[in-house]
Amino acid sequence: MQYSKLGRSSLEVSKIGFGCMSLTGDSGENQLIIDRALDLGINYFDTADLYEHGENETKIGALLKSKRDQVILATKVGNQHRADGNGWDWNPGKKYILSAVEGSLKRLQTDYIDLYQLHGGTIEDPIDETIEAFEILKQQGKIRYYGISSIRPNVIREYVQRSKMVSVMMQYSLLDRRPEEECLQLLHEHNIGVLGRGSIAQGLLAGKPAAPYLNYTEAEVAKAAEVICSITSESSSSSQTAIRFVLQNQALGSAVMGIRTLVQLEDIAAAADFPPLSNWEIELLTKALPTPYYTAHR
């Protein structure tokens, strides 16, 4: 496993991160997967208070309690469950964040969170108030660092200018290159780490039947998957090639992958051990699709 420093933090994160939302087996199966992930060198585990109405944090807290000093534990905040249990509302307010962290700490069975992330965000949010809440939590020792999970350039720019965040989590794959338009270079220049999610595009780049995805047609998605296969050797897999495409960008600290089984884990973790894609492979992949022009996310 390879590691990289996450932005300007002191966190050395594994190039493959563990997206805990996908962990749906029983406790015994989950423990085997977590233990094997640690054996393979994965140290970054990412969850959110929204997942399973908080139960995912509870699950991960129990699985990692005895190994707390070996892992980088990340969770997210901002989606407030309604009292009647019927959905949730967006709440990036200071009062809510300072309150919500207590629930996450309790469910995760820890005294501190390594990376606390705002789970979304809009330009209409009280951004300075949100930042103040994170800074207070840092001073209190309840979190070590903070970041945001967002694909919106206008929001990301505001946090780059106004906060001391260390990371941005965003969707990024061969089929979703929005981060390349305005974000990756900006974040790299400001030494802010990027955590990639969706690297295999819901499985469309790893053997799943082609289907329309974002601005791409089914035929275009099939073409991308075909090119992925064409540069994948017999000793590797399409998912590994898709992940390597993401990791070749210098801004990326980790590809955070949803993992359900030991077989998936072994395949995904191995992607970090392959050499970087060559320039001609990257060119072949990027020319496989028409250049996307995204506007709705701005």
Side-chain angles (χ1 to χ4, degrees):
M1 182 58 63
Q2 299 177 38
Y3 302 85
S4 63
K5 190 175 179 182
L6 187 62
R8 52 194 169 203
S9 77
S10 63
L11 304 175
E12 294 282 343
V13 298
S14 49
K15 280 291 188 177
I16 300 297
F18 198 117
C20 301
M21 182 175 65
S22 298
L23 203 60
T24 56
D26 62 37
S27 59
E29 292 171 331
N30 290 340
Q31 192 67 67
L32 286 173
I33 294 171
I34 290 293
D35 288 346
R36 182 56 181 155
L38 290 167
D39 289 342
L40 291 169
I42 293 175
N43 72 349
Y44 178 84
F45 293 84
D46 191 283
T47 182
D49 59 4
L50 180 66
Y51 303 159
E52 300 177 83
H53 209 289
E55 286 303 311
N56 196 259
E57 285 184 327
T58 300
K59 181 189 304 180
I60 299 309
L63 291 169
L64 292 175
K65 183 178 180 181
S66 64
K67 305 168 180 67
R68 182 67 184 92
D69 61 343
Q70 302 174 39
V71 302
I72 294 170
L73 197 52
T75 192
K76 308 180 194 77
V77 66
N79 295 289
Q80 183 175 14
H81 287 283
R82 295 171 186 158
D84 61 6
N86 186 24
W88 59 85
D89 298 299
W90 177 241
N91 189 346
K94 173 183 173 183
K95 182 178 179 180
Y96 175 66
I97 292 173
L98 295 179
S99 171
V101 73
E102 302 298 336
S104 288
L105 288 168
K106 183 177 181 180
R107 288 187 292 270
L108 290 167
Q109 300 186 53
T110 184
D111 295 328
Y112 66 95
I113 294 163
D114 294 294
L115 180 65
Y116 204 34
Q117 302 159 97
L118 185 68
H119 202 175
T122 73
I123 201 65
E124 290 79 25
D125 291 345
I127 292 175
D128 288 332
E129 183 180 317
T130 302
I131 294 169
E132 183 182 0
F134 284 133
E135 290 292 343
I136 288 172
L137 292 177
K138 278 182 62 180
Q139 293 169 7
Q140 293 175 341
K142 293 177 181 178
I143 67 173
R144 294 176 65 191
Y145 301 99
Y146 64 90
I148 63 173
S149 177
S150 177
I151 193 62
R152 300 170 186 250
N154 57 355
V155 173
I156 291 171
R157 283 193 295 268
E158 291 300 314
Y159 277 90
V160 168
Q161 295 168 8
R162 295 154 68 173
S163 81
K164 296 179 181 178
M165 70 174 179
V166 302
S167 66
V168 176
M169 174 174 276
M170 58 177 63
Q171 185 166 293
Y172 180 44
S173 72
L174 180 61
L175 288 174
D176 187 353
R177 294 168 57 200
R178 286 176 291 176
E180 295 177 4
E181 292 184 2
E182 300 181 39
C183 297
L184 294 184
Q185 185 61 35
L186 172 69
L187 295 171
H188 182 65
E189 290 172 356
H190 286 81
N191 196 20
I192 296 170
V194 177
L195 300 164
R197 61 179 180 83
S199 303
I200 59 175
Q202 299 176 356
L204 294 172
L205 298 174
K208 187 177 177 180
Y213 189 82
L214 296 179
N215 288 1
Y216 293 119
T217 65
E218 180 178 328
E220 289 169 338
V221 170
K223 175 64 175 177
E226 179 185 329
V227 177
I228 287 276
C229 286
S230 74
I231 64 170
T232 299
S233 69
E234 292 184 0
S235 61
S236 61
S237 68
S238 295
S239 60
Q240 291 168 353
T241 302
I243 294 167
R244 290 167 66 201
F245 171 79
V246 169
L247 291 178
Q248 56 83 25
N249 193 293
Q250 59 184 351
L252 265 287
S254 181
V256 182
M257 305 296 299
I259 297 169
R260 290 185 173 87
T261 68
L262 283 170
V263 172
Q264 284 181 331
L265 171 62
E266 298 284 348
D267 180 58
I268 288 169
D273 295 326
F274 283 88
L277 293 175
S278 66
N279 289 336
W280 75 264
E281 287 174 320
I282 295 171
E283 184 177 4
L284 192 64
L285 288 170
T286 54
K287 287 186 175 181
L289 296 169
T291 302
Y293 292 94
Y294 302 103
T295 58
H297 71 292
R298 286 183 172 83

